[in-house]
Amino acid sequence: MYKVCMAAPEIAPRGLKVRHVPNMAIVFDAAVPVVTDFQHRALNLNYCKREWLWYLGADPKDDSIIEHAVAWKKVQQPDGSFFSNYGQYIFGLREEGRDDPGTQFEYVVQQLRKDPDTRRASIVLLQRDHLFDSNVDTVCTYSINFSIYQNFLDMTVMMRSNDVVWGFTNDAFCFQQLYEFVYQLASLKLPGLQRGSYTHFSNSMHVYERHYDMLKKILVDPRLTRVDVPKPTPQEVVDLFK
């Protein structure tokens, strides 16, 4: 992936130089940790965990994330909220007055349990309200879809844009945690369910100019360490959502 990005043509959206690969799809084995670290990347696993906990809180105005990554301050909305706190769409309650005011996360699990052949187990993140010219925080992820095929649970993440160094690494960590939560709850009602694939698709997989040197070093010295992230048990996930 890094090699492909570095060989890609250069474009300059909003004046920022990037090497851009259109419509890239990466398929992972969901049973294997997808996060890796390179000597020249220096992954901050504690930050990945913090971002996931921030999502679990589902509070769009929780600004505690700034303590762990000051870049978030630049994309905070005038009312103090963050459009890119994905937790508000995944774990946040939907508006009152609906037949089902629950969360999109609950909806996905219910759909899979009710009909293992369902094509409706989707979570939508990018909203119409995010699409205005002055917005500095247009959500990068369109949707996350879950499906079961031949008793394997698959997940597909659809993104309009993804930075291959910082964005992708943190996103892949959090999305795999979400996968595990869905898997554990679905498997309670679907005995024998197995982990399948995690497909990560982006309309623009890219590397920013500030990371060109980092990727060149990684390509010369590609030694990596796979980051082993403990998987939650079904009971731990059940307890979390009581």
Side-chain angles (χ1 to χ4, degrees), residues 2 25 37 39 49 53 55 60 64 85 91 113-115 120 151 167-168 174 199-200 235:
Y2 285 174
D37 190 20
Q39 181 178 352
K49 294 176 181 178
L53 291 173
Y55 291 166
S64 64
N85 182 332
F91 302 114
R113 285 175 164 184
K114 183 173 64 176
D115 178 8
R120 297 181 175 182
N151 215 32
F168 171 76
C174 292
T199 300
H200 189 100
Q235 190 59 51

Side-chain angles (χ1 to χ4, degrees), residues 8 19 22 34 74 95 116 119 125 172 183 198 217 219 228:
R19 293 196 179 278
V34 302
K74 299 178 182 178
E95 62 267 22
R119 297 168 296 178
L125 289 85
Y183 171 80
Y198 158 20
K217 291 176 182 177
L219 292 175
D228 187 13

Side-chain angles (χ1 to χ4, degrees), residues 35-152:
V35 178
T36 56
D37 190 20
F38 296 89
Q39 181 178 352
H40 299 289
R41 168 64 175 83
L43 171 69
N44 186 342
L45 185 59
N46 285 332
Y47 173 75
C48 294
K49 294 176 181 178
R50 289 287 182 180
E51 189 167 300
W52 175 239
L53 291 173
W54 188 51
Y55 291 166
L56 285 174
D59 180 359
K61 292 189 176 181
D62 177 7
D63 63 1
S64 64
I65 195 67
I66 296 174
E67 300 173 17
H68 309 287
V70 295
W72 282 105
K73 183 65 177 176
K74 299 178 182 178
V75 297
Q76 192 170 18
Q77 298 297 317
D79 67 354
S81 66
F82 299 87
F83 288 162
S84 288
N85 182 332
Y86 292 168
Q88 63 189 297
Y89 316 112
I90 301 169
F91 302 114
L93 291 173
R94 289 181 282 186
E95 62 267 22
E96 296 181 2
R98 296 174 59 103
D99 293 337
D100 176 17
T103 70
Q104 292 199 80
F105 173 77
E106 293 170 331
Y107 171 80
V108 161
V109 174
Q110 290 166 0
Q111 292 298 309
L112 293 170
R113 285 175 164 184
K114 183 173 64 176
D115 178 8
D117 292 328
T118 186
R119 297 168 296 178
R120 297 181 175 182
S122 297
I123 295 171
V124 178
L125 289 85
L126 180 65
Q127 309 288 310
R128 172 64 182 87
D129 291 345
H130 301 157
L131 304 178
F132 56 95
D133 192 55
S134 62
N135 184 18
V136 294
D137 187 20
T138 305
V139 171
C140 291
T141 306
Y142 299 124
S143 63
I144 306 170
N145 187 76
F146 294 87
S147 61
I148 297 173
Y149 181 66
Q150 296 184 337
N151 215 32
F152 286 89

